[in-house]
Amino acid sequence: MIKICNYHLFFVGALLASTSSVASSSSFDTLAARQEAKPFYHRDIQIGDTTLPFSPASVVIMIISIVMLLRNLLGGPKSSAVASHILVDDTEDAKAKLTAVKKEINDFTKFKGAAQRYSKCPS
């Protein structure tokens, strides 16, 4: 039977930490090689000794997104819809009345006037 006390756990933790630092230095070489193998537009941006954690491609995407957002917020096209209809009561002469109105209407301006005259809709 093996007994492990806190001192032994600390020693094992320190040993693992020291071996992970050795492994991280060798993994640093691997990461650097992987970074260099990427195309330039996927690499992190380096300015002198400083490395920014984003790539030129992500910068371009951010700029395009900001421009589109500002364009829509500050002066983009406004959406609008126009509903044109003629509402009549459901009576026997409704179909005849709508047929007569249809013959009278040739374009939108005439439809608008006919809708105001014949429709029962309050709008």
Side-chain angles (χ1 to χ4, degrees):
M1 170 160 281
I2 299 174
K3 290 185 178 180
I4 298 176
C5 66
N6 288 340
Y7 176 76
H8 290 107
L9 289 177
F10 176 76
F11 179 73
V12 170
L15 183 64
L16 288 175
S18 67
T19 58
S20 67
S21 67
V22 171
S24 67
S25 66
S26 65
S27 66
F28 177 75
D29 296 334
T30 306
L31 289 174
R34 289 181 67 194
Q35 183 73 3
E36 288 297 319
K38 291 180 182 178
F40 76 94
Y41 50 86
H42 284 295
R43 292 183 200 152
D44 292 341
I45 297 173
Q46 289 185 339
I47 301 172
D49 292 337
T50 306
T51 301
L52 302 176
F54 39 84
S55 66
S58 62
V59 171
V60 169
I61 291 170
M62 284 189 290
I63 290 171
I64 290 171
S65 300
I66 290 170
V67 167
M68 290 176 66
L69 178 69
L70 291 176
R71 201 162 80 190
N72 285 332
L73 289 177
L74 299 177
K78 305 296 182 218
S79 299
S80 65
V82 176
S84 302
H85 58 276
I86 298 175
L87 182 66
V88 295
D89 293 328
D90 190 16
T91 59
E92 297 168 1
D93 65 332
K95 188 170 185 175
K97 187 175 185 180
L98 287 176
T99 305
V101 171
K102 188 175 179 182
K103 289 180 184 176
E104 178 184 333
I105 299 170
N106 290 337
D107 59 15
F108 180 73
T109 55
K110 290 183 180 179
F111 179 86
K112 190 175 181 180
Q116 290 173 350
R117 284 193 305 273
Y118 300 117
S119 182
K120 300 291 182 185
C121 183
S123 60

